[in-house]
Amino acid sequence: MLLSSCVEVADPPQISPTPAETKTATPALIPSSTVVFESIPEGEVSIAEADLNLSFGDYAEALKAYKGISNRADEDLLAAAQFGIGLTYFKQKDLFQAKKTLTELVSQYPDSLPAKRANFVLAQISMEQELEQDALTYYQTYRDNRPGILDAEVNLRIGDLLSESGQNESALESYRAAYLAPQLTTNTEAAVKLASMYEKLDQDDLALGIYKEILYNSTNDYTKAQMNLLIARILLDQGSTDEAYTFLQDSVNNYPFTYDAYTALVTLIEADQTVDEVKRGIINYNMEQYPLAIEAFDRYLAGEGFAKDEALYYKALSLRAEGLVQADLNSQERLTANAAGGTEQDKEAINLWNQLITSHPQSSYRFDAIEDIIYTQNVYMGQMKLAIETALAFVAAPHSQPDAPELLQTIANYFLLNGQVLEAADSWTRIGLEFPSSTNAFNGLFFGGSLYFELGELDKAAENFNRAVLLATPETLEVAASYFWLG
């Protein structure tokens, strides 16, 4: 596929074109839906073995195969083989030999398709050698002689090089061509660079239109937060402060885990705008500013808000994280504190999670809080036995059925890590026996059965695998595995 070479090609490319300045055009923001795919020309099969070796990374065999072809008289195959040799050297990071081989290819077979393709690889080599002007020339040659192939990617790279050299008008045209080129996916990167170049050229309204289009069409939260920030900055510069704050608030409220939400939060606070204290706390937590996060959650918990379960959950996380800042897991301070029952931060975090579980039994954070209590006791406090006892208590608690299978799985894992193989087998088996309709039932019986087998408890093992067969998804490896262990 890499080395199609038996196709009639156009005139040889000019290796050193000079980029021309062009007038700025109004962006057409609806890209074409047509995508051009290359056909596979006849004659390619003769170098299939070499291509296969290259594709699997067997560079020595690939070079051997390509060089074996080089004695043939057919110029198309000679050009294809030489391209393969150059590409193999490039993949081996032998830039000197790669550049030498591909430059000779362009010189010897200028009309060939491999020679046209070589410009793309030569551009990459030039970039690695920090020869940006050479790279620009090669990319432009490739673009001009291979229309419809990699248009978006090549124009994007050309735009970057032109922008770095201060040729903003030409860079704008390249970014615009990249954005409008046929795409199999949404070309957000090209759109952002196009809008950014409009900003640089003081065409803010055009930039704003593109940013808003990206925002409304994107399904990626990080992209949305980025667009909110870029839009808000333009609006602030234009004096539309209220509209700008709306976009910033959207990032704070809906994408608090992104870095751009932190920038939005700082901008709003500096402008004396009111922000949601829970979201503020979550953003500070994500930015590892734990004391500020705890202060924000305390302010919220002192009020009458309806998201106190969320505030309790994240305040506990922040306390635990701050405790880790003060004493890491392997520090003597933590070992000493754990010998006395745990650090103050860990104990307070567990108290908050227990408060959440008791006061908000329907909260979506309830099970996360249970898991965090168990995990904190085991990993942060070094008390695996206590963690197992806590998990067993939650399994035995009223209305625990939705949580019990996953908790039993955690218990089994902890027992196994602690060398208590029989207890681990019993815990896994409980999942299948007590909660046969859960998604963990088959795995519970299967893992429990394998441990019983290891312990020589063959009757128990066989009982588990017989039950596992009944729970296995038909015609899957679950059935085969169960019968294998039965045998």
Side-chain angles (χ1 to χ4, degrees):
M1 293 292 289
L2 293 171
L3 306 177
S4 302
S5 59
C6 300
V7 168
E8 293 297 325
V9 294
D11 293 334
Q14 298 298 317
I15 300 302
S16 302
T18 301
E21 296 289 336
T22 56
K23 295 183 179 180
T24 302
T26 303
L29 298 179
I30 304 177
S32 167
S33 60
T34 303
V35 179
V36 177
F37 292 94
E38 290 190 45
S39 60
I40 302 175
E42 296 180 3
E44 187 115 341
V45 68
S46 62
I47 55 173
E49 181 182 353
D51 288 349
L52 189 62
N53 287 325
L54 178 60
S55 68
F56 282 114
D58 191 346
Y59 300 132
E61 286 300 315
L63 282 174
K64 181 180 177 181
Y66 287 128
K67 289 179 178 179
I69 297 170
S70 64
N71 294 325
R72 299 184 183 184
D74 190 315
E75 287 194 357
D76 289 329
L77 288 176
L78 286 172
Q82 194 164 345
F83 179 80
I85 293 170
L87 186 59
T88 305
Y89 281 135
F90 176 66
K91 289 182 177 292
Q92 288 180 306
K93 304 299 181 183
D94 188 344
L95 301 184
F96 175 79
Q97 288 292 348
K99 188 171 187 177
K100 178 176 179 292
T101 303
L102 295 174
T103 302
E104 290 175 355
L105 166 62
V106 173
S107 175
Q108 293 173 6
Y109 307 103
D111 292 346
S112 69
L113 180 58
K116 296 178 186 293
R117 287 177 167 175
N119 287 296
F120 188 86
V121 184
L122 285 167
Q124 293 176 286
I125 294 171
S126 298
M127 287 298 295
E128 294 200 27
Q129 295 176 331
E130 298 183 0
L131 301 171
E132 286 80 5
Q133 187 57 48
D134 287 353
L136 176 60
T137 298
Y138 284 125
Y139 278 134
Q140 288 172 326
T141 302
Y142 181 90
R143 178 194 62 187
D144 295 341
N145 289 277
R146 300 282 287 146
I149 307 297
L150 298 180
D151 280 353
E153 180 64 26
V154 173
N155 277 298
L156 195 63
R157 297 185 186 197
I158 290 172
D160 289 343
L161 289 166
L162 290 169
S163 176
E164 289 170 7
S165 64
Q167 301 179 60
N168 294 334
E169 292 286 350
S170 296
L172 178 70
E173 289 307 306
S174 292
Y175 287 143
R176 196 165 170 275
Y179 177 70
L180 297 175
Q183 294 292 305
L184 294 176
T185 58
T186 302
N187 199 356
T188 302
E189 183 181 5
V192 171
K193 289 186 175 183
L194 174 61
S196 177
M197 189 55 66
Y198 276 128
E199 274 194 89
K200 188 178 289 188
L201 295 171
D202 296 324
Q203 300 181 51
D204 289 347
D205 288 339
L206 291 175
L208 197 59
I210 295 175
Y211 288 143
K212 287 184 177 180
E213 181 183 6
I214 298 171
L215 172 65
Y216 299 140
N217 291 330
S218 177
T219 58
N220 184 286
D221 289 347
Y222 291 91
T223 299
K224 286 179 174 291
Q226 180 191 15
M227 293 306 105
N228 276 333
L229 184 60
L230 293 172
I231 292 168
R233 284 174 173 170
I234 293 177
L235 291 172
L236 288 172
D237 288 341
Q238 293 178 340
S240 302
T241 54
D242 290 341
E243 187 181 359
Y245 296 151
T246 300
F247 286 98
L248 296 175
Q249 291 282 8
D250 182 54
S251 289
V252 170
N253 294 326
N254 296 310
Y255 317 112
F257 45 84
T258 66
Y259 186 85
D260 288 321
Y262 173 73
T263 306
L265 174 66
V266 172
T267 304
L268 288 168
I269 291 173
E270 290 179 348
D272 294 325
Q273 296 298 300
T274 301
V275 296
D276 185 294
E277 292 290 359
V278 173
K279 302 304 181 184
R280 179 177 183 175
I282 293 173
I283 292 172
N284 287 137
Y285 168 75
N286 289 330
M287 295 304 300
E288 300 181 2
Q289 298 176 337
Y290 306 122
L292 292 177
I294 293 167
E295 291 174 6
F297 294 129
D298 283 339
R299 287 193 294 271
Y300 186 85
L301 291 169
E304 301 296 328
F306 293 100
K308 291 196 173 182
D309 57 333
E310 187 177 22
L312 286 169
Y313 179 73
Y314 278 100
K315 180 184 176 182
L317 283 180
S318 302
L319 281 165
R320 188 181 69 178
E322 178 60 21
L324 197 61
V325 171
Q326 297 182 19
D328 65 49
L329 292 179
N330 297 316
S331 66
Q332 186 58 49
E333 294 87 349
R334 181 169 289 273
L335 293 175
T336 302
N338 285 345
T343 66
E344 291 302 316
Q345 292 87 354
D346 289 345
K347 289 188 287 188
E348 187 175 353
I350 289 174
N351 287 335
L352 289 173
W353 282 320
N354 276 318
Q355 181 183 339
L356 186 161
I357 294 164
T358 302
S359 59
H360 303 276
Q362 303 302 318
S363 171
S364 60
Y365 292 96
R366 178 182 178 277
F367 184 68
D368 290 332
I370 292 173
E371 286 192 312
D372 280 315
I373 290 172
I374 298 166
Y375 184 77
T376 302
Q377 289 174 335
N378 179 37
V379 176
Y380 285 74
M381 301 171 70
Q383 300 182 39
M384 181 180 287
K385 183 179 178 181
L386 176 60
I388 293 172
E389 291 174 353
T390 301
L392 287 169
F394 279 118
V395 170
H399 312 297
S400 66
Q401 287 82 355
D403 308 329
E406 288 192 45
L407 291 175
L408 284 169
Q409 186 166 289
T410 299
I411 292 165
N413 284 323
Y414 283 3
F415 273 134
L416 193 60
L417 289 172
N418 204 38
Q420 297 172 267
V421 181
L422 178 60
E423 289 80 357
D426 290 341
S427 299
W428 261 312
T429 300
R430 280 186 64 184
I431 301 173
L433 296 181
E434 298 177 23
F435 308 98
S437 61
S438 77
T439 56
N440 299 316
F442 173 82
N443 282 345
L445 291 169
F446 188 85
F447 293 142
S450 65
L451 291 180
Y452 284 139
F453 181 89
E454 180 183 330
L455 292 167
E457 299 277 357
L458 302 185
D459 289 340
K460 288 185 177 180
E463 189 175 344
N464 269 37
F465 292 124
N466 273 313
R467 287 194 170 96
V469 169
L470 299 176
L471 293 178
T473 304
E475 300 180 0
T476 66
L477 292 177
E478 291 180 352
V479 178
S482 300
Y483 278 123
F484 173 83
W485 280 92
L486 272 172

